Amino acid sequence: EFAAHEVFGETPNLAARLQSLAESGMVLISAGTHRLTGGHFAYRDLGLVALKGWAEPTRAWQVLGTSGVESRFEATHKATLPPLLGRDEEIELLLRRWKYATQAEGRVVVLTGEPGIGKSHIAFALDEWLRAEPHVTLRYFSSAYHINSDLFPFISQLERAAQFDRSDLPAEKLAKLEALLAQSAADADHVAVLANLLSLPPNDRYRLPELSPQKRKQKTLAALLAQVDGLAARQPVLMIF
């Protein structure tokens, strides 16, 4: 609830009017908020709505859920990726490292620089360059809202790769996870461990025994590594952290 002595002005007034239109569990936003958050969420355009105190109807949007994009950079540039200028040397270096990785052993490249200098752009541009080549791209992104979860980047990557939907039942999510892990020849033990990581309830086929926290952690990391090993045995893997 909004208290008059706490905030003033058009923004809280607009929020209060939109709140009065929202049903239980519904999130409504104005056109301005939609413009600022575009690409980060999935929306439903409600069209123009009449609000008390507003002379003209205003456009409202219902927030349906997160968009599933993998980073703030991708969300901001969801429609079109702007041209990458002046980074030929960096791209050539990355492509050489990629060639080494496909012919011999793996390579690691660390991109460093001030915020906004173009690190994410270079990484996405590399993936675009490699689009015609057989490979798998795995993207892992942290979140300021999950700083207490070391494995959050791996959880979100698995959920995206398995194409989890908010409306999926646990059994449907488990089937999707099983299909995803089949691509890397993971065994039943790995499916059970990673299902537990994704907070999916156990079933008769995939049920973990009672494990100490340390043992559970070891099995989880082993399952994640086995997934990458299985993919890399079939074709090159590009991992972006």
Side-chain angles (χ1 to χ4, degrees), residues 151 155 158-159 174 177 181 188-203 206-213 215-217 219-220 223:
L151 293 181
I155 293 171
L158 286 171
E159 291 176 339
L174 185 60
L177 177 64
L181 298 182
D189 187 47
H190 293 156
V191 177
V193 170
L194 296 181
N196 178 264
L197 177 66
L198 300 180
S199 301
L200 297 179
N203 63 12
Y206 301 115
R207 185 179 298 275
L208 278 180
E210 290 296 326
L211 299 170
S212 66
K215 189 66 174 178
R216 188 184 300 271
K217 177 181 178 181
K219 282 185 169 290
T220 299

Side-chain angles (χ1 to χ4, degrees), residues 74-206:
E74 185 185 1
T76 305
H77 303 92
K78 188 177 181 181
T80 58
L81 192 66
L84 183 64
L85 302 175
R87 296 298 183 188
D88 294 345
E89 183 177 347
E90 288 86 350
I91 291 294
E92 289 175 4
L93 172 63
L94 290 171
L95 290 174
R96 288 198 300 272
R97 294 296 181 269
W98 172 256
K99 184 178 180 179
Y100 295 149
T102 60
Q103 296 178 350
E105 60 185 23
R107 290 291 188 273
V108 176
V109 177
V110 180
L111 294 175
T112 61
E114 295 297 323
I117 201 171
K119 301 183 295 296
S120 296
H121 200 162
I122 291 174
F124 276 88
L126 173 64
D127 201 23
E128 290 290 324
W129 272 93
L130 300 178
R131 178 158 294 184
E133 295 191 20
H135 74 288
V136 174
T137 299
L138 305 177
R139 296 189 179 96
Y140 301 91
F141 295 97
S142 60
S143 167
Y145 302 105
H146 298 87
I147 59 176
N148 295 320
S149 174
D150 293 338
L151 293 181
F152 169 77
F154 298 88
I155 293 171
S156 59
Q157 189 278 328
L158 286 171
E159 291 176 339
R160 289 193 310 270
Q163 299 182 359
F164 282 6
D165 189 84
R166 290 169 61 88
S167 62
D168 285 345
L169 297 174
E172 294 173 315
K173 290 184 177 181
L174 185 60
K176 288 183 175 181
L177 177 64
E178 185 178 20
L180 172 70
L181 298 182
Q183 300 174 22
S184 57
D187 58 32
D189 187 47
H190 293 156
V191 177
V193 170
L194 296 181
N196 178 264
L197 177 66
L198 300 180
S199 301
L200 297 179
N203 63 12
D204 293 336
R205 185 177 181 187
Y206 301 115

